[in-house]
Amino acid sequence: MIRKKICMLGSYAVGKTSLVQRFVEDVFSDRYETTIGVRILKKQLQVEGADVTLMLWDLHGDDEFQRVRPSYLRGASGYLLVADGTRADTLEKVAELHDFAGSHLGDVPFLLLINKRDLEGEWEVDGEMEERLKRLGWSIHHTSARSGDGVEAAFSELAHRMVRG
Amino acid sequence: MPDAEKGAAGEEPAPDAKPELEQLRELLVGHEQRELRELRERFDRAEVTAEDVQRVLPDAVLLRSRSDDQLSEALTPTIEGAIEGSVRRNPQALADAIFPVIGPAIRKSIREAMSSLLESINRTVEHSLSPTGIRWRLEAARTGRPFAEIVLKHSLVYRIEQVFLIHAETALLLEHVVAPTVATTDPEMVSSMLGAIQDFVSDSFSAGERDIQTVEFGELTLQVASGPHALVACVVRGISPPTLREEMQQTVEDIHASRSKDLRVFGGDVAPFVMTRPSLQGLLVEQRAEKEKKKNRVGPAVLMVAVPVVVLGLAIWAFNSYHASRRWSGALDALLEEPGVVVIEADLDDGVHRIRGLRDAAARDPLELLQQHGIAAETVDARWEPYHALEPSLVVRRARTALAPPDSVQMELRGETLVVWGRADHAWIERAEAEARFVVGVTALDLSTLIDEDAEAARSRAGNLSNRSISFAPGSARLDYSYSRTELSRFCDSIDELVDTALFAGLRVRVVVHGGKAANEDDPRLAAARAEAVREWFEERYFGATPAHDLVVSGSEAVSWDRNGVLLGIELVDRDGAIVPPR
Ligand SMILES: Nc1nc2c(ncn2[C@@H]2O[C@H](COP(=O)(O)OP(=O)(O)O)[C@@H](O)[C@H]2O)c(=O)[nH]1
Ligand SMILES: [Mg+2]
């Protein structure tokens, strides 16, 4: 049995909470998170025959406006950077968060999710920026928390990369 | 010039004889002279000295420190400076290094503090010849444990229900053990949440200090003992035994010693930590032993504490021989009657009323009682150790204090079941359900006759809303009637209010859409298609706005509703998934 901590990082309202919610089953109103500023959810999956439990850390509501605290990241084995395809500025923010996470976690696996794929007609994010990041070796997924497209695949790629180490 | 040399010079021959003499000297002592010159050179060359010193230094230090303290005095400032520097650069290195040393030292001092507490209790009960006292004494003799420890054991009621081993950095659960018959909520979540709570506390309150030692909720406490790489957390029901902290700290240290490598390189694989189960269970086992003992003996030990016994023993004899006043005796009789008060020793000496005993926090103030019997407060020297009494009236009082029920709630103890009736809001009921079993003396809770006001409100709202219908154009499954859309919108506004009300009662709202078709409509798929259209409409409206789990739309299958429209049913669902009927 393997347990891993994963953090969700991204601007406000890009869909972090919705993605996590989409990925885990059964969420029933938890009250503690409002007080301590994080919400933790759990997902069990199989990676190459091994049982893996992911503890997903997501910032709660208003706290996202504040600076992400280093303690939130501590010990994470991987992270998901989330941007909103309909807001180009959220992709810039992602680069900043990536630097921040890297400085605390070092070289751990991460993915970039460009979310709200179902609104592709309204996308501001252009392919060029994406290409640049890809050339830097970033793995990028287009997801939709709304339809569920690409969500499972993204989390499971991250899980595989973390487990393979 | 020193005298000795002058003398030597006097014996020397005249300067003119020097060449021959030099030759002679060369012949006689030339070898020694060369050695002497070499030696002198050695002394003059510093680098040679350093080399030599490193050869002799260890022995020199040893020799010197055997004879006096000067060397260590000379070195102290340098070494202190070095340590200070190292700590400033990286305090963790030193902390990690001394953890195994400092742990035992701290425990030793705690043990000393504990033993003095035990002693003071020992003194309190030393002279007691009550049946309780005698029984405890026998137990002490039988088990070979100090008498005071036996008293403590019977006075404090507790149980360690779960033990978590948690990785410090990631807050991931490494291992978890649980006492038999205890129901657990998701330990992996508890572990991460504890980590997040610790982060929150340290980020908000103090710089760097991350250790929370206890988190209290009702009579349940979470006790935490931490080491550099892992922490052990125990869920304790009742009052924690004073020795628990020490045992937990010992366990943390043992685990750091035995699994040191696994802890340092931990990358998520928890398999190696199965090996820690026995030591974690050690924290439970001791409790279980005590429980079993209680069961085997059908609870006399507990009863002993429960029944108030005024123990006069030698004290009565002393009291009689002093021919002390009737008042004192009357007052002691009253204490004897008082639930939750156990007098262990009492005497009257020189006008001072001295009492030692046990007192439940929920019991009446003994001093007040004494005053009612005409004993002035200034003349009373009383010392009460805490204990938990099991008389029903006290258990109920304790439950009232712990649960703080509204005025509309009544309580009574039947056996060990706390029966609660009347009316209360849902939040209070939830709290009571969670906390009642942690009230000492209560093992079960009966709420069957208690009315949940929030659930009542939700049920009557749901009753009013149920069975609305939405009409479709004949032969059509399209929701394009603006009238139908307005109806649906209005319905949804009411649903939103209901969701809010239901949330207070811990209930979810489920909307069940029954599709229907009129008898004169031919297409058999119409009913299902209509239900589907309404379902889609709901999804569209609620996505993102209302947490999906609070509103479930189902029932797109056609049901026997023989009209050209859909019927909207409302169900309330509780946490366990059971349906609560509307009224
Ligand atoms: N259309 C669309 N909306 C989304 C998607 N993911 C999230 N949203 C919406 O975006 C808003 C913010 O989502 P949330 O998960 O709270 O974002 P967070 O602040 O990053 O946690 C909500 O109104 C969601 O319903 C998506 O994939 N598509
Ligand atoms: Mg969020």
Side-chain angles (χ1 to χ4, degrees):
Chain A
M1 156 80 82
I2 295 171
R3 302 197 171 111
K4 298 278 188 187
K5 169 174 170 179
I6 294 184
C7 290
M8 304 294 295
L9 290 169
S11 305
Y12 181 66
V14 293
K16 299 181 293 296
T17 303
S18 307
L19 285 164
V20 172
Q21 202 123 317
R22 180 50 95 171
F23 181 57
V24 306
E25 325 73 338
D26 174 48
V27 197
F28 196 68
S29 90
D30 298 295
R31 292 176 192 162
Y32 48 75
E33 65 231 21
T34 31
T35 353
I36 61 167
V38 285
R39 161 195 180 100
I40 299 171
L41 296 164
K42 186 175 95 166
K43 168 82 175 184
Q44 279 163 329
L45 64 169
Q46 290 254 324
V47 176
E48 290 164 9
D51 284 326
V52 178
T53 302
L54 302 180
M55 304 305 298
L56 302 158
W57 289 47
D58 178 27
L59 289 177
H60 182 271
D62 296 345
D63 240 45
E64 293 171 292
F65 290 113
Q66 298 165 8
R67 214 171 65 83
V68 178
R69 290 171 286 142
S71 62
Y72 169 73
L73 292 171
R74 186 183 30 237
S77 298
Y79 53 95
L80 287 172
L81 298 168
V82 185
D84 176 349
T86 67
R87 285 149 59 206
D89 62 310
T90 63
L91 199 55
E92 283 155 34
K93 176 77 180 169
V94 149
E96 191 184 301
L97 287 165
H98 172 63
D99 280 349
F100 177 74
S103 72
H104 285 89
L105 296 175
D107 197 12
V108 302
F110 71 94
L111 297 182
L112 168 60
L113 309 189
I114 306 182
N115 191 38
K116 308 200 183 172
R117 176 176 166 178
D118 54 290
L119 303 178
E120 217 140 26
E122 301 165 29
W123 269 31
E124 280 182 9
V125 171
D126 59 355
E128 193 194 320
M129 175 88 171
E130 222 177 295
E131 276 312 310
R132 277 217 315 277
L133 293 172
K134 272 192 181 143
R135 276 200 297 279
L136 290 173
W138 286 35
S139 170
I140 302 176
H141 289 235
H142 290 186
T143 56
S144 167
R146 173 168 204 172
S147 68
D149 272 358
V151 179
E152 187 86 27
F155 278 96
S156 105
E157 181 188 329
L158 185 64
H160 273 82
R161 284 176 43 196
M162 288 189 314
V163 170
R164 263 187 237 122
Chain B
M1 202 180 262
D3 291 348
E5 271 186 42
K6 243 185 240 161
E11 279 157 25
E12 248 175 10
D16 55 331
K18 204 173 182 183
E20 289 95 314
L21 198 66
E22 274 302 317
Q23 282 176 355
L24 191 64
R25 197 182 268 166
E26 179 68 34
L27 275 172
L28 291 174
V29 293
H31 178 64
E32 282 83 358
Q33 269 195 320
R34 268 192 306 279
E35 278 190 356
L36 209 70
R37 245 197 324 275
E38 270 175 37
L39 268 175
R40 179 168 299 151
E41 272 169 17
R42 251 200 209 189
F43 266 105
D44 292 347
R45 276 194 287 133
E47 66 273 23
V48 176
T49 318
E51 256 172 36
D52 290 347
V53 167
Q54 60 99 13
R55 232 173 285 137
V56 295
L57 188 62
D59 289 339
V61 168
L62 206 64
L63 273 174
R64 186 58 189 256
S65 44
R66 273 190 206 140
S67 63
D68 64 34
D69 291 343
Q70 283 201 18
L71 194 63
S72 66
E73 272 165 28
L75 288 177
T76 304
T78 317
I79 294 179
E80 276 177 357
I83 294 177
E84 258 176 51
S86 151
V87 170
R88 225 175 293 123
R89 271 196 311 282
N90 179 12
Q92 198 54 41
L94 185 72
D96 286 1
I98 63 175
F99 178 67
V101 183
I102 206 103
I106 293 172
R107 274 203 313 284
K108 182 158 173 280
S109 76
I110 292 174
R111 198 158 37 228
E112 271 156 18
M114 260 311 296
S115 72
S116 66
L117 168 65
L118 287 179
E119 262 167 39
S120 88
I121 297 176
N122 217 354
R123 271 198 303 281
T124 311
V125 286
E126 201 119 58
H127 303 295
S128 86
L129 289 176
S130 68
T132 316
I134 290 167
R135 201 179 301 242
W136 289 350
R137 245 175 223 297
L138 288 177
E139 188 179 338
R142 205 181 57 240
T143 57
R145 291 156 72 190
F147 180 43
E149 203 177 311
I150 304 290
V151 174
L152 253 192
K153 191 188 106 182
H154 288 294
S155 315
L156 306 177
V157 182
Y158 64 87
R159 165 164 152 146
I160 292 153
E161 301 199 326
Q162 304 180 49
V163 184
F164 297 80
L165 178 66
I166 300 172
H167 185 244
E169 192 191 16
T170 59
L172 292 171
L173 183 69
L174 299 173
E175 193 47 85
H176 173 244
V177 296
V178 57
T181 77
V182 170
T184 59
T185 45
D186 195 335
E188 286 170 321
M189 288 297 285
V190 171
S191 172
S192 287
M193 286 314 304
L194 180 64
I197 292 171
Q198 289 198 316
D199 288 344
F200 169 72
V201 170
S202 76
D203 289 343
S204 344
F205 302 114
S206 68
E209 184 56 61
R210 188 166 177 260
D211 293 359
I212 303 179
Q213 303 215 314
T214 37
V215 181
E216 296 199 12
F217 30 109
E219 284 190 40
L220 201 68
T221 4
L222 189 70
Q223 292 241 20
V224 184
S226 29
H229 299 298
L231 36 115
V232 166
C234 286
V235 176
V236 186
R237 175 190 168 176
I239 299 173
S240 282
T243 50
L244 176 63
R245 176 146 298 286
E246 186 188 341
E247 281 158 19
M248 287 171 65
Q249 200 59 47
Q250 181 70 57
T251 308
V252 173
E253 284 161 26
D254 290 350
I255 290 173
H256 273 80
S258 63
R259 307 248 61 92
S260 130
K261 173 134 184 293
D262 295 324
L263 284 172
R264 263 183 295 115
V265 303
F266 177 68
D269 182 7
V270 298
F273 297 97
V274 176
M275 314 286 279
T276 64
R277 285 187 75 89
S279 57
L280 298 178
Q281 270 159 348
L283 294 169
L284 299 172
V285 163
E286 203 174 293
Q287 268 327 99
R288 229 184 296 153
E290 169 144 349
K291 283 243 121 181
E292 273 157 19
K293 205 172 288 162
K294 277 184 196 158
K295 258 184 222 144
N296 294 345
R297 292 169 35 165
V298 206
V302 176
L303 279 179
M304 273 308 132
V305 191
V307 178
V309 179
V310 171
V311 182
L312 296 176
L314 293 176
I316 282 205
W317 170 82
F319 153 61
N320 283 336
S321 73
Y322 274 97
H323 307 290
S325 76
R326 276 203 164 163
R327 254 182 300 173
W328 183 217
S329 135
L332 287 173
D333 281 345
L335 281 181
L336 166 79
E337 295 297 324
E338 190 59 31
V341 175
V342 180
V343 177
I344 289 170
E345 191 186 349
D347 68 34
L348 177 58
D349 185 10
D350 227 5
V352 177
H353 300 88
R354 231 171 58 86
I355 308 183
R356 300 288 177 264
L358 305 173
R359 182 195 164 201
D360 188 295
R364 251 180 92 183
D365 182 359
L367 190 61
E368 196 180 285
L369 231 146
L370 291 174
Q371 281 173 319
Q372 277 178 8
H373 284 79
I375 293 176
E378 316 79 77
T379 65
V380 177
D381 163 19
R383 206 158 68 216
W384 303 100
E385 303 289 344
Y387 91 115
H388 282 143
L390 297 182
E391 283 100 337
S393 64
L394 277 179
V395 173
V396 170
R397 219 181 290 170
R398 194 180 297 137
R400 281 199 167 269
T401 315
L403 305 176
D407 293 342
S408 52
V409 164
Q410 313 281 323
M411 290 181 180
E412 186 182 292
L413 194 71
R414 290 189 204 141
E416 292 184 0
T417 302
L418 186 67
V419 182
V420 180
W421 70 98
R423 310 175 64 87
D425 60 63
H426 186 77
W428 184 83
I429 294 176
E430 272 199 337
R431 204 160 62 79
E433 276 174 335
E435 290 176 10
R437 70 187 185 104
F438 303 125
V439 173
V440 175
V442 174
T443 56
L445 183 67
D446 179 354
L447 297 178
S448 55
T449 48
L450 180 68
I451 293 168
D452 180 336
E453 288 169 335
D454 292 316
E456 288 294 288
R459 286 173 67 194
S460 76
R461 244 182 219 278
N464 290 338
L465 268 179
S466 219
N467 296 332
R468 298 284 171 91
S469 61
I470 302 293
S471 314
F472 281 70
S476 161
R478 287 180 48 188
L479 246 187
D480 49 7
Y481 257 2
S482 70
Y483 172 74
S484 314
R485 286 180 170 269
T486 319
E487 272 291 276
L488 265 176
S489 273
R490 209 172 289 145
F491 178 75
C492 283
D493 292 342
S494 314
I495 291 276
D496 291 344
E497 283 170 20
L498 174 60
V499 165
D500 285 346
T501 314
L503 208 59
F504 274 112
L507 296 170
R508 295 187 295 169
V509 177
R510 182 184 291 161
V511 178
V512 185
V513 185
H514 301 286
K517 101 179 167 53
N520 60 2
E521 289 175 316
D522 296 333
D523 188 346
R525 289 165 308 181
L526 261 183
R530 283 171 175 159
E532 187 55 27
V534 171
R535 197 186 63 79
E536 270 171 13
W537 190 90
F538 273 111
E539 293 232 311
E540 196 63 27
R541 168 165 171 134
Y542 281 104
F543 180 77
T546 302
H549 54 256
D550 287 329
L551 185 84
V552 178
V553 182
S554 67
S556 53
E557 293 298 300
V559 185
S560 56
W561 158 249
D562 53 357
R563 284 179 49 188
N564 56 334
V566 297
L567 185 68
L568 299 169
I570 303 274
E571 284 173 359
L572 295 170
V573 185
D574 71 14
R575 247 158 228 248
D576 304 323
I579 293 177
V580 178
R583 22 167 82 199

